[in-house]
Amino acid sequence: MLDSVLISPSILSADIARLAEDLDKIASADYIHIDVMDGHFTKNLTFGAGVVAVCKRSTSVPLDVHMMVTNPDDTVDWYIDAGADLITIHVEASTHLHGTIKHIQSRGVKAGVVLNPATPVSFLESIIEDLDAVLLMSVNPGFGGQSYIEGTYAKIRELRAMCERHGVSPYIEVDGGVSRKNVEAVCAAGADMVVAGSAVFGAQDPAAEIGVLRELGNRGLASARA
Ligand code: DX5
Ligand code: ZN
């Protein structure tokens, strides 16, 4: 578990017409979360590798690329070439999960696996030792601004226990409906990286909101360690 929580604001809630300005507002973040959706794996259609490359040119904050596409095994290289620093792929979409994770890492990029809300943590038992990150979806993928699914807490705890059993500590990232109302509890359950879209970009002052989320998240991490 990390000493300090990583905050990854999602640009799904940014003003795309003013993306560079919005990226400046979140320069204090630890990662920038980029939701790649293909209109098949999710109903929604969002950003491709071109937008990842634009972000790379516009910010020095590392890029956290969440691939919600049906063919991640075939397309991860586009996002690596565009400048991703961490790529997460869905277990529900990847046919060759282990091979793709190893391929991403062989190109010098961190690699993680994403689980949808209905996918059990036990799916990770055979691959957990190879991962830099596990992303637990706390909403059904597709849209920002949804409500956090309460059953995610139990999955975070189960995943943290699995990591301890295996003696590994990938980032435990939680995505969907995270805000100042629940971030402390999310981190107390064992998450050390959180995505926040509407909570950050819906705030008057996105930078200040990142600070609030970080402080509350760190409080949660402290209680998880106690
Ligand atoms: C949902 C996306 C999320 C989304 C989170 O499919 O994966 O990253 O941007 O948005 P909020 O924080 O508003 O729930
Ligand atoms: Zn996401």
Side-chain angles (χ1 to χ4, degrees), residues 11-91:
I11 60 162
L12 190 59
S13 297
D15 180 349
I16 296 305
R18 296 191 168 80
L19 183 57
E21 285 166 44
D22 273 7
L23 288 172
D24 281 347
K25 289 182 190 163
I26 57 169
S28 60
D30 301 287
Y31 277 94
I32 307 283
H33 188 83
I34 305 177
D35 287 308
V36 176
M37 302 188 194
D38 67 351
H40 295 276
F41 184 76
T42 54
K43 288 183 199 157
N44 201 1
L45 180 61
T46 59
F47 316 120
V51 171
V52 175
V54 166
C55 291
K56 197 66 190 177
R57 287 199 297 275
S58 312
T59 180
S60 55
V61 179
L63 304 181
D64 162 25
V65 176
H66 175 192
M67 291 184 63
M68 286 162 277
V69 302
T70 53
N71 55 348
D73 303 306
D74 301 334
T75 54
V76 285
D77 281 302
W78 301 350
Y79 299 90
I80 295 171
D81 293 341
D85 295 278
L86 164 65
I87 295 182
T88 55
I89 58 175
H90 274 258
V91 66

Side-chain angles (χ1 to χ4, degrees), residues 5 13 24 31 35 37 48 62 79 84 86 91 100 109 111 114 128 137 151 154 165 168 180-182 194 200 211:
V5 65
S13 297
D24 281 347
Y31 277 94
D35 287 308
M37 302 188 194
Y79 299 90
L86 164 65
V91 66
T100 303
V109 172
V114 191
I128 191 73
M137 289 306 299
R165 234 173 25 246
V168 292
R180 56 166 77 194
K181 288 190 196 134
N182 57 14
V194 295
V200 167

Side-chain angles (χ1 to χ4, degrees), residues 53-221:
V54 166
C55 291
K56 197 66 190 177
R57 287 199 297 275
S58 312
T59 180
S60 55
V61 179
L63 304 181
D64 162 25
V65 176
H66 175 192
M67 291 184 63
M68 286 162 277
V69 302
T70 53
N71 55 348
D73 303 306
D74 301 334
T75 54
V76 285
D77 281 302
W78 301 350
Y79 299 90
I80 295 171
D81 293 341
D85 295 278
L86 164 65
I87 295 182
T88 55
I89 58 175
H90 274 258
V91 66
E92 303 87 2
S94 171
T95 313
H96 303 289
L97 192 61
H98 180 268
T100 303
I101 291 294
K102 286 292 171 193
H103 174 71
I104 296 168
Q105 292 166 335
S106 76
R107 294 207 52 199
V109 172
K110 287 187 165 66
V113 168
V114 191
L115 302 184
N116 271 336
T119 304
V121 169
S122 58
F123 245 97
L124 299 171
E125 195 73 58
S126 308
I127 199 166
I128 191 73
E129 294 180 19
D130 296 298
L131 302 178
D132 299 301
V134 177
L135 192 168
L136 296 179
M137 289 306 299
S138 41
V139 297
N140 285 293
F143 299 95
Q146 302 182 75
S147 300
Y148 177 90
I149 297 170
E150 296 291 317
T152 312
Y153 290 121
K155 289 179 76 176
I156 301 169
R157 285 193 290 271
E158 192 185 344
L159 176 57
R160 178 57 68 196
M162 179 188 282
C163 291
E164 277 165 16
R165 234 173 25 246
H166 285 263
V168 292
S169 46
Y171 298 155
I172 296 185
E173 181 177 9
V174 173
D175 182 10
V178 176
S179 70
R180 56 166 77 194
K181 288 190 196 134
N182 57 14
V183 66
E184 183 173 347
V186 166
C187 294
D192 52 13
M193 178 167 179
V194 295
V195 176
S198 46
V200 167
F201 287 104
Q204 286 280 18
D205 182 347
E209 197 63 24
I210 289 171
V212 170
L213 293 174
R214 189 176 278 130
E215 196 186 321
L216 291 168
N218 283 340
R219 223 180 269 175
L221 277 185

